Amino acid sequence: PVLPRSGYADVKKAAPALPSTSQILSNYIAALGGEQNLKKITTRLITAQQDVPTGPGGVNPLPAQVEIYQKAPNLLLRVARTNQATLLSGFDGTTAWGQDPRGRVVPAVEVEAVRERRGSDFYEPLNIAKEYSGLKVEGTEKVGAVEAYVLVGQPSEGTFVRFYFDAQSGVLVRKLTVVPTPVGDTPFQVDYE
């Protein structure tokens, strides 16, 4: 048998030091152009693709083209278009709402209301530290080909949220929330390009 040579201790590699939460958030804001430049912007249009859950229990994803219109400080309109329908939802500054299949505007269910309120924060990058208590650096993970720092925090209402920031560029590449439902927790993941 091969025995270890005496006099040689196992060499353990030290884990790389992780940046602090404030360093990661500062790098993120800098990557977006800085706080002063962010505050100059008051409207935004985001285009995206989303799988809209359909069918019994929402298990059948239906691809949708999404447009999200935002106006500072917290107005939001989301338009999701599929081949079969157009779905509208939003936040008017106080109330989250949605449009049902018959075209009636109705208040959003609680889980959606919380997400829409948080998502309507036009200056969310500047407010992450305020919105999420106990925000801490959890480590690093791969998001596609990118090495990302993972920050975890809990908002005043809702479950923990995981933020993934590109370790090189500083930009947010993924946001993962677990949404509690009557039939169990459901992940809600947004990937950014």
Side-chain angles (χ1 to χ4, degrees):
V2 177
L3 301 174
R5 295 181 179 177
S6 60
Y8 291 96
D10 288 340
V11 177
K12 292 185 179 179
K13 290 185 178 179
L18 295 172
S20 69
T21 299
S22 60
Q23 288 172 318
I24 292 171
L25 293 177
S26 292
N27 290 343
Y28 176 41
I29 291 168
L32 295 176
E35 182 175 349
Q36 297 306 316
N37 286 329
L38 286 174
K39 288 184 175 180
K40 291 178 185 176
I41 301 168
T42 58
T43 60
R44 170 172 46 230
L45 168 61
I46 299 170
T47 58
Q49 295 177 345
Q50 177 180 351
D51 286 336
V52 177
T54 63
V59 296
N60 301 321
L62 184 63
Q65 296 299 319
V66 178
E67 294 174 345
I68 302 169
Y69 298 88
Q70 288 184 281
K71 183 174 181 180
N74 62 352
L75 300 177
L76 178 132
L77 170 64
R78 182 184 322 272
V79 181
R81 291 183 176 88
T82 69
N83 290 337
Q84 288 82 17
T86 298
L87 308 168
L88 299 173
S89 63
F91 187 78
D92 65 9
T94 27
T95 305
W97 56 272
Q99 190 174 39
D100 70 13
R102 295 183 186 139
R104 296 177 299 191
V105 175
V106 295
V109 295
E110 185 60 28
V111 171
E112 291 297 322
V114 169
R115 187 171 39 227
E116 290 288 21
R117 184 195 60 75
R118 259 189 266 142
S120 72
D121 180 1
F122 193 83
Y123 300 110
E124 181 184 30
L126 302 175
N127 298 325
I128 290 175
K130 293 179 215 162
E131 179 72 27
Y132 299 90
S133 66
L135 197 61
K136 65 178 182 171
V137 182
E138 190 174 80
T140 61
E141 284 186 33
K142 283 277 197 187
V143 175
V146 173
E147 189 70 25
Y149 294 121
V150 182
L151 266 62
V152 178
Q154 185 168 13
S156 56
E157 49 190 341
T159 59
F160 285 93
V161 175
R162 297 169 61 90
F163 297 93
Y164 299 78
F165 295 92
D166 185 318
Q168 295 299 312
S169 70
V171 297
L172 182 65
V173 292
R174 176 175 288 163
K175 185 176 176 183
L176 177 64
T177 307
V178 175
V179 178
T181 68
V183 293
D185 291 344
T186 303
F188 183 81
Q189 177 177 301
V190 179
D191 290 331
Y192 301 94
E193 291 182 357

